[in-house]
Amino acid sequence: MITGVCLSPCFSQTADDYTLKGVDLAEKKQYDKALEMFRKAASLQDGQSAKAFHNRGWLMEIQGNIPAALENYQEAVRRNPNLPDSYERMGYWSYKAGKYADAVMMGEKVVKIDPENEEVKKWLPDAYKQRMEHPQIQAEAAVLKQKPSPTAAEKAEVKKDDLINSKVKPEEKK
């Protein structure tokens, strides 16, 4: 019995190896195999696996699953906060959703990390403009995210009988 001899290649796959294979497979439209490579890269739990999460996000985008893409981009930047491409994609989709303040915030992170990023230059100037022209959209979104306090909820309750028997609008009552 021979020991210490490798009959197959004697190296372990790195996250980068799996990621490169995944990108190659995705470009060949072999999405299921590509996703498996990205999963393997991500399972290594090292700093390089952030790229695998970014690429999984990219793959989800290609397939039209934007919520899953965004989850993967968020995980990518959680693992590596200096990954401009993931911030750019999150910013782009915030811009497309009309969340201009979020888009600007992400775009500024991209520019800070990678001032020459060409993708962010395509939408960031308009995101700034839209944020300035439509500040009420951002204010309304912030209000909708807040939960009312118990006293505010009680004050908001209006009895059905009061509305039916009253000629005064509820907000005008004193």
Side-chain angles (χ1 to χ4, degrees), residues 148-160 162-163 170-171 173:
S149 66
T151 54
E154 291 168 7
K155 288 179 182 177
E157 278 187 31
V158 178
K159 294 182 181 175
K160 187 176 180 181
D162 289 345
L163 288 174
E171 58 271 8
K173 282 188 173 181

Side-chain angles (χ1 to χ4, degrees), residues 83-167:
L83 204 59
D85 294 337
S86 291
Y87 285 118
E88 188 279 324
R89 298 316 298 156
M90 289 188 298
Y92 171 79
W93 286 109
S94 293
Y95 168 72
K96 294 299 276 182
K99 298 178 181 178
Y100 303 117
D102 290 345
V104 167
M105 181 179 64
M106 293 295 158
E108 287 176 347
K109 286 183 181 186
V110 173
V111 172
K112 186 176 180 181
I113 298 167
D114 179 13
E116 301 302 316
N117 186 294
E118 292 298 318
E119 290 301 311
V120 77
K121 291 177 184 178
K122 293 177 184 176
W123 54 263
L124 184 57
D126 192 54
Y128 276 118
K129 179 182 173 191
Q130 295 297 328
R131 183 183 68 174
M132 295 303 289
E133 290 178 4
H134 304 288
Q136 75 280 2
I137 293 173
Q138 300 305 316
E140 290 170 5
V143 169
L144 290 175
K145 289 180 183 178
Q146 295 176 354
K147 291 184 179 179
S149 66
T151 54
E154 291 168 7
K155 288 179 182 177
E157 278 187 31
V158 178
K159 294 182 181 175
K160 187 176 180 181
D161 292 339
D162 289 345
L163 288 174
I164 293 170
N165 297 325
S166 175
K167 293 181 182 178

